[in-house]
Amino acid sequence: MTTPPPGWYSDPETVRLIRWWDGERWTAHTHLATSSGPPAAVVRTEAMIQTKAPPTVDDNPRGWLITAAKIGGGLLLMHLTLAACDHVAIGPLTLP
């Protein structure tokens, strides 16, 4: 089994980070995985994975709930804004 050369690789624990591999083990040096930072390598060997636990499938299992709450809140805010604009432009709703 060959180990990869030292460099920045996808963090095995956190999807959004890249971590420095010193050729033998993961170091404490991390960066956000962005296009402006150092490129993250796609390949991980068994030696790297055995050094730390492999990444989980979902970094935040409640992420969908947070996204749904943000969408719902945005829709509610948009509805209230449109209702307020309608009230100002047309006037209060009067029933016959």
Side-chain angles (χ1 to χ4, degrees):
M1 172 182 353
T2 62
T3 58
W8 292 101
Y9 295 91
S10 298
D11 191 343
E13 291 182 354
T14 307
V15 177
R16 292 179 291 268
L17 293 179
I18 56 174
R19 185 175 294 272
W20 182 259
W21 172 258
D22 68 4
E24 296 178 13
R25 68 187 67 79
W26 293 109
T27 66
H29 305 289
T30 60
H31 289 283
L32 285 175
T34 62
S35 59
S36 62
V42 182
V43 180
R44 286 189 220 132
T45 65
E46 284 299 317
M48 293 168 68
I49 293 173
Q50 290 173 358
T51 306
K52 275 195 170 182
T56 58
V57 173
D58 189 0
D59 196 28
N60 183 1
R62 294 184 325 179
W64 68 270
L65 185 61
I66 293 170
T67 301
K70 288 178 180 179
I71 291 171
L75 289 173
L76 177 64
L77 182 63
M78 185 172 54
H79 173 73
L80 294 174
T81 302
L82 290 173
C85 290
D86 186 43
H87 180 75
V88 169
I90 298 174
L93 181 63
T94 56
L95 297 175

